[in-house]
Amino acid sequence: MKAHRLPSRPRPRRIGALAVAASALVLATAGPALAHTEVSASDSRALAKNVTLTFESEAEDDGAGFTEIRTVLPKGIDPGDVELKEAPKGWKLKPTGDGYSVGGPALAPGENAEHSIVVRQLPDATSLAFKTVDTYEGGKVSRWIEVARDGEPEPENPAPLLKLKAAPADATPDASTSASPSPKPESEAPSSDGKKPSKAATSDGGSAWPAVGIIIGVCLFALAGGFVLFQQRRGSDQ
């Protein structure tokens, strides 16, 4: 009489490997790719004059287009020392107390907002952070205002950062350039209407998803470890 073979059980090591792979996939795909606002310069040296700064805000809302980009200027650049060079059709620049805003008719949904300004002179610094508040048609607001300290990883909603090279030996500060006020703290950065945006008004893609992905990944790791331990004990009892 032939003995019946018991159905083979998945090996604990194989199960653990599959769980680890699934956890890595969850962590990689839990949060959608975040949009950013980037800045580039025609001359990235400290104390450079008549520099063109170009800002590009990546669209993150497929259902509404940009209507306004507000920028907080870093210390050393006064709102009066900035002129608009290029912007979407119909958009205009307006100075604010701590920087400027540029806006106009809503862009097409999914279209990036790009504009350029001319700065009379860059300050003597190693880097410049331009805290930016993006407004979409319908009132949705995204804030790119977080500045990482030296040695820290990039924050979830980073402000556009321009790194500067050393100033030429013969460069001197322009006496006509007035010092701008210090940027407001991140928690006080206003929206385009001058009011502090609520958490509900901020970007949906910049904060919650990464934390959810980490929690899911940890839970999967814990379940995989418990299942492997259960299989090992079950095998030792037979």
Side-chain angles (χ1 to χ4, degrees):
M1 182 175 180
K2 296 183 179 179
H4 293 284
R5 297 180 61 184
L6 295 176
S8 60
R9 296 189 301 272
R11 295 182 179 180
R13 291 183 179 179
R14 184 177 181 183
I15 295 174
L18 290 175
V20 171
S23 300
L25 180 61
V26 169
L27 291 175
T29 60
L34 301 180
H36 283 72
T37 297
E38 304 290 344
V39 59
S40 59
S42 60
D43 190 343
S44 57
R45 297 175 299 172
L47 297 180
K49 297 182 179 182
N50 299 320
V51 178
T52 298
L53 299 181
T54 300
F55 296 85
E56 182 174 7
S57 297
E58 298 179 3
E60 60 178 20
D61 191 335
D62 293 333
F66 286 107
T67 58
E68 184 184 67
I69 308 296
R70 178 171 177 177
T71 301
V72 176
L73 293 171
K75 185 176 181 179
I77 302 179
D78 188 81
D81 297 329
V82 170
E83 294 182 358
L84 183 63
K85 183 176 182 180
E86 292 184 7
K89 185 177 180 180
W91 283 33
K92 297 181 179 180
L93 183 145
K94 296 180 181 179
T96 61
D98 54 7
Y100 70 91
S101 65
V102 58
L107 302 183
E111 180 181 348
N112 294 348
E114 182 175 325
H115 74 278
S116 298
I117 59 173
V118 177
V119 178
R120 183 181 302 175
Q121 184 178 35
L122 298 181
D124 190 3
T126 57
S127 63
L128 301 173
F130 297 84
K131 297 181 181 181
T132 304
V133 178
D134 300 339
T135 302
Y136 293 83
E137 187 177 21
K140 177 181 176 179
V141 174
S142 294
R143 299 190 299 165
W144 303 99
I145 59 173
E146 298 176 355
V147 181
R149 296 179 180 177
D150 293 340
E152 293 183 351
E154 183 179 76
E156 294 179 5
N157 298 288
L161 186 66
L162 178 65
K163 295 184 178 180
L164 300 181
K165 300 177 183 177
D170 58 348
T172 57
D174 190 345
S176 63
T177 303
S178 56
S180 66
S182 299
K184 293 185 179 181
E186 296 172 8
S187 60
E188 299 178 5
S191 64
S192 59
D193 57 3
K195 299 180 181 179
K196 179 181 176 182
S198 63
K199 292 183 178 179
T202 58
S203 170
D204 298 332
S207 57
W209 275 107
V212 173
I214 293 175
I215 293 173
I216 294 175
V218 171
C219 292
L220 286 176
F221 273 114
L223 290 174
F227 190 80
V228 170
L229 182 60
F230 171 77
Q231 289 293 335
Q232 290 177 341
R233 289 182 176 178
R234 182 179 179 182
S236 62
D237 294 339
Q238 295 181 352

